[in-house]
Amino acid sequence: VFDPSLEAEACGCKIAWDSGEVLPRIVSHPLSEGAKIEDVDTFSFEKRGRLPAILEATKRLKLIRGKDVAIIGLITVPLTLAGHLKGESFLTDLNQGSEEAEEVMTLAGNVGLKLCRMYCELGVDVIAISEEMLGQVNSNLYQVLTSPLRSIWNVAKFFNVHSLIVGKGRFEGRIEPILALEADGVALAGDVDCVKLKGLALKRNCCYAR
């Protein structure tokens, strides 16, 4: 279980806790409520919300259990964070080729890059990019993911940390474009052709899971 609202809260989205048994909900989207991209403060986002606690917990886990288990730093960018910042119109705007949507993606990618470096400096074994929207956007738009993800992969490789893409949804016609994003591994849940996933992943020497 992981919380996809961590980065969003740290970047200015408000959250609401319905009960202690469910994850919080995003209840505000700054970029659809009057804020401009330059108003989103990403300079010290890692010091806000629950991220300081997450980073400290990662540090302690690495010290206590790092020799016995793999520690994964999970980041929900760029699609998920961009969607939280922009709100319901984000996917429609992105699918229509909106320039603003791509700018929000760049912003989210920069947040992910900084967080990736922080996790790597803490000694994680894997950087995982979790994107539930991978099964929702047109696969021909995956090209807008290439630049931010490549930067994250490069940082991970510098620290000798593996990379993983995690997604769920409908992946018909999307498996090959996802593999083309060049993570070391992919883990896809939902409507997935396992035989095709296996064949295409093996051709790319990529780890895979469903």
Side-chain angles (χ1 to χ4, degrees), residues 146-205:
T146 301
S147 179
L149 291 184
R150 182 177 292 137
S151 297
I152 290 173
W153 303 159
N154 287 340
V155 168
K157 288 176 181 177
F158 176 82
F159 285 91
N160 198 29
V161 171
H162 294 292
S163 57
L164 175 68
I165 289 178
V166 181
K168 68 178 182 180
R170 297 181 60 85
F171 291 105
E172 183 179 356
R174 293 183 170 92
I175 294 177
E176 194 162 8
I178 289 174
L179 293 172
L181 295 173
E182 298 184 341
D184 294 327
V186 297
L188 305 178
D191 185 5
V192 184
D193 185 333
C194 297
V195 175
K196 186 173 184 179
L197 173 61
K198 176 181 178 180
L200 292 173
L202 290 176
K203 285 182 180 180
R204 288 183 172 269
N205 195 29

Side-chain angles (χ1 to χ4, degrees), residues 2-11 40 42 45 51 73-85 90 94 101 103-117 119 127-134 137 142 144-153 163-167 181 183:
F2 58 88
D3 187 345
S5 70
L6 291 172
E7 294 90 348
E9 179 191 21
C11 289
V40 179
T42 60
F45 71 90
L51 276 182
L74 190 142
I75 307 172
T76 57
V77 301
L79 288 170
T80 298
L81 176 56
H84 286 154
L85 290 171
F90 170 69
L94 186 64
E103 290 176 354
V104 180
M105 286 274 289
T106 299
L107 173 72
N110 291 337
V111 169
L113 181 62
K114 187 174 182 180
L115 194 52
C116 169
R117 178 175 290 277
Y119 278 131
I127 288 294
I129 298 296
S130 176
E131 283 290 13
E132 295 186 1
M133 291 187 183
L134 279 177
V137 298
Y142 285 0
V144 301
L145 298 173
T146 301
S147 179
L149 291 184
R150 182 177 292 137
S151 297
I152 290 173
W153 303 159
S163 57
L164 175 68
I165 289 178
V166 181
L181 295 173

Side-chain angles (χ1 to χ4, degrees), residues 25-130:
R25 295 181 294 111
I26 302 291
V27 295
S28 75
H29 311 283
L31 296 180
S32 66
E33 298 165 2
K36 298 180 180 179
I37 291 178
E38 55 268 26
D39 295 329
V40 179
D41 181 8
T42 60
F43 181 72
S44 56
F45 71 90
E46 74 280 1
K47 298 179 181 179
R48 297 192 294 268
R50 290 158 291 155
L51 276 182
I54 295 297
L55 293 169
E56 179 63 23
T58 302
K59 178 181 178 179
R60 296 187 185 190
L61 281 171
K62 183 63 181 180
L63 289 173
I64 297 171
R65 298 297 307 279
K67 293 183 179 180
D68 304 312
V69 298
I71 307 298
I72 300 176
L74 190 142
I75 307 172
T76 57
V77 301
L79 288 170
T80 298
L81 176 56
H84 286 154
L85 290 171
K86 181 63 177 173
E88 294 181 0
S89 67
F90 170 69
L91 275 183
T92 301
D93 293 344
L94 186 64
N95 283 327
Q96 293 177 349
S98 163
E99 183 176 337
E100 182 186 10
E102 294 191 18
E103 290 176 354
V104 180
M105 286 274 289
T106 299
L107 173 72
N110 291 337
V111 169
L113 181 62
K114 187 174 182 180
L115 194 52
C116 169
R117 178 175 290 277
M118 291 177 180
Y119 278 131
C120 288
E121 289 175 345
L122 291 174
V124 300
D125 301 284
V126 178
I127 288 294
I129 298 296
S130 176

